[in-house]
Each structure stands twice: as C-alpha cells, then as structure tokens.
Amino acid sequence: MSTLWRLVAHADFAILADAVERLDAAASAPALSWSLFEDGDSARLDVLFETMPDIDTFRDICGLTEAIPVEFGPMPEEDWVRLSLEGLKPVEAGRFTLFGAHDRDAVAAGQTGIEIEAGPAFGTGHHGTTRGCLMAFSDMLEAGESPATVFDLGCGTAVLAIAAAKVLPDAEVLASDIDPEAVEESAGNCAKNATPGIDCFVAEGLDHPKLAGRRFELIFANILAGPLVDLAPGIAQALTPGGKVILSGLLTEQEARVREAYTDAGLTVERRKPIEGWETLIAVK
C-alpha cells in the first residue's frame, strides 16, 4: 500500500468554502479527496493526496494564502482508511440516505438509500449543496409532485439523478457533466444503485444533441455560481411550463446574483434555508 499525504487547514468557514469551490472547479483533481467540516467557531479543510504534493502550488490552486497555517505530512498506512471515513458517516437528506460501502446496513426503514463513495467528484452528500438539493427534491415529492422528465446538469457522481430514478421509476432521467471521468463514475454509480436506465453523457452545459429542443419538468443544476448565471436563459428555455430547476453550488454572498439571473430569465425564485453557508434555490417557470 502506498503512503497517502494529508493536509489540514483551519480557518473561517467562508475562506475554506471558497477553497473548496476552487478545488471543485479545478480542471484536473489536485488531490485524492477533500472535505470541509464545521469545527466549533471555524471550519476544517481535510485533504488527502496520493503522492507528496507541492504545497505552494496547491495553495495557489485553492487560494489558501501563507497567512493560513496548514498541517501536512504522510499518513501511517494502517490508519488512512479509518481516518478518511471518520467524517463520512451516512447522511440523511429528507427521504434519502447517502452512504458508503462501509455503511450499507445504515439505511433506516422508509428511507431511500443511495450508495456513493467519497472522492473528488462533486456530490457525495457530505457537501451542503448536494444535501440542499436532495432536501428540496424530497419536499417536492412530499407535496405530491412527480416529474416525468428529469435532467441532472453537471451531475458529478449522479447522486441527484439516481435519487430521481429511485423514487420516480417511470421517469426519463438524463445526467451530463463536462468531465468525462465524472460521467464514467456516474455510470458506475448508476449500475451500483440499480438505476441503469439513467442516460449519462458528456456535455458542456446545454450544448449536446440529446438536449436540443428538449424540455424537462425538473432540472438539477448543482454546479457553480458563474456557470449558473451564464446558463440561466438556456435552463429557463429547457423547462416545461410549470417546470422547476433546483439550483445549488453557490455561497450566500453569491445568492443575490444567481437569483437575479433566473428572475431576469422569467422564473419565480424561492430561496431555501442555507446549509453550512451554501445556498439552494428553486426556480419555477
């Protein structure tokens, strides 16, 4: 077994949330995995590397200045699995429970279980954005809504698409991501969760033949604030009358800009309660 390297940074939540956003947006994964945890009055960023990284380069990628101290070093081979899983317990989000393979017996009766392993792909459920989307979707289901066409835009691990396919077995569910590796992982997750009918494909935003002229009753867009703003007119056009888009991947200080973009696109926008500094919006056509 090769040695893993671990970096831990403690700082204000907003600073480390910005670092996570930069890591999520990086063109290629700069680490094996990263997680953000509330830690008393501040927050903790925990990063695992497969090989010894250049710390200065990593700081540049995620915007961690020299003023933010970090702890860094190799992890004992016998401890890394245990340590990497300590903060990754099953997550409940409305009627959904997300879990790793080590917690397959943790799904309570009446909950819909989704097996997703922790990793660099966006969407393990331990991130406030994914949890916010699932809770918003769960509330829609409780209100009696059952969309027949669902699109997970920027699917990451496809957890949102899988959630839809599990509770809406007759729905058509599509999932796309700009990253081919994410799409490959999504397809594997769909097979593992017995939802092989989800159509996973590589696409940049809404630019794909499978999306040309399509209209959806529900769109998940758990990406980043900048792309959410840029895609607002296209997403609005891709909704059926009465259709909804669940938006996340934005920090509280970005909420007003994103909300304005979707209001300008002709949608009615509802703001949900933030989770750990991350916002979730529901926009209706």
Side-chain angles (χ1 to χ4, degrees), residues 179-204:
D179 182 0
E181 291 186 7
V183 172
E184 182 178 353
E185 181 178 354
S186 292
N189 286 334
C190 291
K192 180 165 54 181
N193 283 276
T195 54
I198 297 172
D199 185 2
C200 300
F201 54 94
V202 178
E204 183 172 353

Side-chain angles (χ1 to χ4, degrees), residues 108-193:
Q111 288 290 100
T112 299
I114 304 173
E115 183 176 336
I116 301 288
E117 295 305 321
F122 203 52
T124 64
H126 296 86
H127 199 287
T129 59
T130 306
R131 208 152 69 243
C133 289
L134 287 171
M135 292 173 70
F137 179 44
S138 185
D139 287 347
M140 289 173 56
L141 297 170
E142 293 300 318
E145 299 183 43
S146 55
T149 49
V150 181
F151 175 38
D152 186 357
L153 169 61
C155 60
T157 61
V159 61
L160 300 174
I162 291 168
K166 279 181 171 280
V167 297
L168 302 168
D170 296 327
E172 179 188 11
V173 183
L174 279 65
S176 74
D177 200 284
I178 195 171
D179 182 0
E181 291 186 7
V183 172
E184 182 178 353
E185 181 178 354
S186 292
N189 286 334
C190 291
K192 180 165 54 181
N193 283 276

Side-chain angles (χ1 to χ4, degrees), residues 22-60:
R22 289 169 181 257
L23 291 171
D24 289 333
S28 58
L32 184 64
S33 68
W34 49 88
S35 302
L36 180 61
F37 303 98
E38 291 185 288
D39 193 6
D41 295 332
S42 62
R44 183 182 91 247
L45 175 64
D46 207 316
V47 187
L48 293 180
F49 302 88
E50 213 163 7
T51 57
M52 183 177 178
D54 182 307
I55 298 300
D56 290 337
T57 300
F58 181 76
R59 282 183 179 272
D60 288 341

Side-chain angles (χ1 to χ4, degrees), residues 1-2 4 48 75-85:
M1 181 185 299
S2 60
L4 292 185
L48 293 180
M75 295 181 64
E77 292 183 2
E78 68 273 19
D79 287 343
W80 77 264
V81 172
R82 175 180 60 82
L83 290 172
S84 67
L85 296 177

